[in-house]
Amino acid sequence: MKLSAIKFKNSSHKCLTLLGMSGVGKTHLAKLLSYQDKYFHYSGDYRIGAEYLNDKILDNIKNYIRQDKWLKDLLDNESISIQNHITFDNLSSVSAFLGKAGNPELGGTPIGTFIARQTMHLNAETKAMLDVPQFIQKAKTQGFNHFINDAGGSLCELDNEQVYQTLANNTVILYIRASKTNETALVECAQTHPKPLYYQANFLKQQLSIYLQKNQLIYVAQIDPNEFVRWVFPRLLEHRKPKYEAIAKKYGYTIDSEGLYRCKNADEVFELIYGAMN
């Protein structure tokens, strides 16, 4: 929703969608606001893992277990069971399912499987974002005054106007733009802790081709999966930035991460948001 600062300030039910790279401060902002008032915290990544990819995550784990005959027998006769204990703060099962493209002997996922899971994640994230209106209503019935959609960093990759319009119709979209210092920290984190990521299909195809040629490799199965993530992350960051900017320009507002990190409480966060709306 495109609102004036005054109208947003006087709203009795504030609904926000937080847009930006993972690690830019979205969850930090949500927690600051929640300390002051009653907010329903909706996590897109949690919804993806707990609802739309849950069965596929469990099936994948079971396939690994069945490689051991002893464990396979216990699983098949229901002597043991597997559960997905995903939480807002622990999304490891989703990351493990998504995987990293590359050599299976180095922990990589075969490219065919990797691409299929990327498509599954795309579809799941689309559904999770389209679920936001129903969760806003659910939050109201549960007595929550306000609502925060803590969206995944790949929201800008959906390129889905239905999703963006739905979010804009029901929430104020707030883009947290990473400062140069913040960008450097994100890249450094990717170097030390490379993690599974979502890539648009064309971007992934292009980057894999460049990486293979650059490293004189023939097949994706020869790629060290962690090295590829380290190499591609800065390129992914640059790829996403104009997408975030375009969504914010058309549907929402922009605040800077450094300004957010200086905020110590909800009042200071709101002043930052009001300033972006003026």
Side-chain angles (χ1 to χ4, degrees):
M1 292 177 282
K2 284 283 192 178
L3 301 176
S4 67
I6 294 298
K7 191 169 183 179
F8 181 66
K9 186 174 184 177
N10 293 333
S11 173
S12 59
H13 294 286
K14 294 181 175 66
C15 297
L16 291 168
T17 286
L18 306 182
L19 177 68
M21 290 290 289
S22 296
V24 81
K26 290 175 293 182
T27 302
H28 171 66
L29 184 154
K31 288 181 177 178
L32 281 178
L33 296 187
S34 298
Y35 289 143
Q36 175 173 296
D37 213 335
K38 197 171 183 182
Y39 277 82
F40 187 101
H41 189 174
Y42 179 84
S43 167
D45 286 337
Y46 174 83
R47 180 74 172 159
I48 288 168
E51 176 64 23
Y52 293 115
L53 290 183
N54 183 63
D55 290 344
K56 296 184 184 302
I57 288 170
L58 293 178
D59 287 344
N60 184 51
I61 295 171
K62 289 174 183 177
N63 286 337
Y64 276 100
I65 289 175
R66 288 192 172 98
Q67 293 176 19
D68 184 297
K69 185 181 183 306
W70 183 67
L71 290 175
K72 176 182 182 300
D73 291 342
L74 290 175
L75 185 65
D76 289 345
N77 66 27
E78 300 184 345
S79 296
I80 60 173
S81 62
I82 306 298
Q83 291 181 303
N84 178 17
H85 292 292
I86 187 173
T87 67
F88 281 15
D89 296 320
N90 187 349
L91 301 164
S92 299
S93 60
V94 180
S95 292
F97 176 76
L98 198 56
K100 306 170 192 171
N103 188 341
E105 294 181 2
L106 298 176
T109 301
I111 188 60
T113 301
F114 184 76
I115 290 173
R117 291 181 184 176
Q118 292 275 306
T119 301
M120 291 177 200
H121 189 280
L122 170 65
N123 294 334
E125 186 168 16
T126 299
K127 291 176 182 177
M129 291 298 99
L130 292 175
D131 285 342
V132 164
Q134 78 179 66
F135 273 87
I136 290 175
Q137 295 306 313
K138 178 180 178 180
K140 289 179 180 178
T141 63
Q142 293 179 356
F144 288 89
N145 296 328
H146 311 296
F147 182 94
I148 294 177
N149 172 24
D150 188 352
S154 54
L155 174 59
C156 69
E157 304 273 29
L158 301 186
D159 284 352
N160 187 316
E161 289 302 316
Q162 180 188 4
V163 168
Y164 302 144
Q165 191 63 63
T166 297
L167 294 177
N169 288 344
N170 292 275
T171 68
V172 169
I173 297 176
L174 189 64
Y175 169 42
I176 305 174
R177 180 171 53 203
S179 66
K180 290 299 181 184
T181 300
N182 196 187
E183 284 185 10
T184 299
L186 292 175
V187 172
E188 288 177 351
C189 183
Q191 301 307 303
T192 56
H193 297 88
K195 65 178 184 178
L197 297 162
Y198 172 78
Y199 312 95
Q200 282 189 326
N202 289 339
F203 174 83
L204 176 64
K205 181 179 179 180
Q206 179 187 54
Q207 298 305 313
L208 283 173
S209 178
I210 294 170
Y211 188 84
L212 289 171
Q213 185 175 8
K214 177 182 175 67
N215 291 277
Q216 298 182 322
L217 302 174
I218 300 174
Y219 306 111
V220 174
Q222 296 173 296
I223 291 176
D224 181 319
N226 286 329
E227 285 303 317
F228 178 72
V229 173
R230 293 186 182 103
W231 175 84
V232 79
F233 184 83
R235 292 158 177 80
L236 179 66
L237 182 60
E238 292 303 315
H239 168 73
R240 287 184 177 180
K241 282 162 59 176
K243 291 179 172 292
Y244 291 135
E245 297 281 357
I247 294 170
K249 182 177 181 180
K250 184 174 182 178
Y251 296 110
Y253 306 92
T254 299
I255 63 173
D256 290 316
S257 61
E258 285 193 3
L260 175 59
Y261 286 132
R262 287 194 293 268
C263 293
K264 299 180 179 62
N265 53 54
D267 289 337
E268 293 181 357
V269 173
F270 278 124
E271 287 303 317
L272 195 63
I273 296 173
Y274 301 151
M277 290 180 160
N278 287 327

